[in-house]
Amino acid sequence: MPTTPISRLSSEEIESLHNTLQNLLYLNNVCRESLCLVPPVHSSLHAATQDDEIPVSYPVHLSDGTISEQKSISVSKGSFVHVPVEAFNLDKGMWGPNAWDFDPDRWDHLSEDVLSLPGLYSNLLTFSAGPRSCIGMRFSMIKMKTFLYILLMTFSFAETDKRI
Ligand code: HEM
């Protein structure tokens, strides 16, 4: 933990702090778990620029109540596609029965199915995926880790029954 205020750190001290943060594996797991359970961008909307087929892993329940056996969904040019980030990150079929629990240890034993999921960050859709994914991901991560690290090194935290 640097003794000088963070705004006055030398570039060597910044690099050292950065290296310290990168090596804190449990802090990394806590950040991943938080961004998995509570993705700040919970969904997004995209417009198809051309006709396309979106492959699916499971049979799709159609709005008329029937189940489609097709292996893909046809999307025509101009259609809006809702990308449900929360549903993707919290799917029990993919992440297991404890998908909705806060469990930072899950990141130490991910299934092959989860490891095959696309996503800019940690097989999640939190920062989207592909060519239009978030350009601020690394900045956000280092900021989140630095913030937590300084709070945890400076204060003691305890549960309370008091209303805050
Ligand atoms: C925890 C913090 C953040 C989260 C969860 C987040 C998430 C996302 C997501 C999901 C998208 C895709 C949106 C979509 O497809 O409609 C996106 C795009 C983008 N983000 Fe972030 N973001 C975060 C922080 C930042 C920061 C700090 C910056 C800038 C410094 C930033 C800059 C951008 C930009 C410019 C795009 C558009 C990229 C493009 O369309 O090519 N984001 N972000």
Side-chain angles (χ1 to χ4, degrees):
M1 176 79 177
T3 44
T4 24
I6 204 145
S7 58
R8 279 193 258 129
L9 293 183
S10 66
S11 50
E12 289 77 24
E13 286 170 315
I14 290 173
E15 194 177 333
S16 161
L17 177 60
H18 181 263
N19 290 338
T20 302
L21 293 174
Q22 291 307 86
N23 290 323
L24 294 175
L25 303 183
Y26 193 66
L27 178 66
N28 194 31
N29 281 5
V30 166
C31 291
R32 286 161 128 183
E33 185 67 355
S34 307
L35 288 166
C36 175
L37 285 188
V38 191
V41 179
H42 51 79
S43 67
S44 72
L45 204 55
H46 288 244
T49 55
Q50 60 186 48
D51 293 346
D52 208 349
E53 292 288 321
I54 302 182
V56 290
S57 309
Y58 310 114
V60 177
H61 292 252
L62 302 173
S63 52
D64 63 6
T66 58
I67 296 177
S68 162
E69 292 305 325
Q70 279 184 293
K71 298 270 184 268
S72 65
I73 300 174
S74 304
V75 174
S76 50
K77 181 177 175 178
S79 302
F80 288 102
V81 179
H82 174 236
V83 183
V85 176
E86 257 167 355
F88 184 94
N89 286 3
L90 297 170
D91 178 17
K92 288 187 177 175
M94 190 57 79
W95 294 86
N98 75 340
W100 297 2
D101 300 338
F102 185 78
D103 175 19
D105 295 328
R106 81 171 77 242
W107 300 95
D108 294 330
H109 44 76
L110 294 180
S111 67
E112 287 301 316
D113 282 350
V114 168
L115 289 170
S116 71
L117 291 174
L120 179 66
Y121 170 75
S122 290
N123 307 100
L124 298 170
L125 268 196
T126 301
F127 292 98
S128 191
R132 302 306 299 263
S133 56
C134 181
I135 61 163
M137 187 267 280
R138 287 185 191 283
F139 175 72
S140 310
M141 289 312 301
I142 200 67
K143 188 171 169 182
M144 185 171 171
K145 286 183 180 180
T146 308
F147 191 74
L148 271 176
Y149 179 74
I150 291 177
L151 280 181
L152 291 167
M153 297 295 280
T154 311
F155 300 101
S156 295
F157 290 86
E159 284 189 42
T160 177
D161 294 330
K162 286 186 199 153
R163 196 178 156 84
I164 297 177

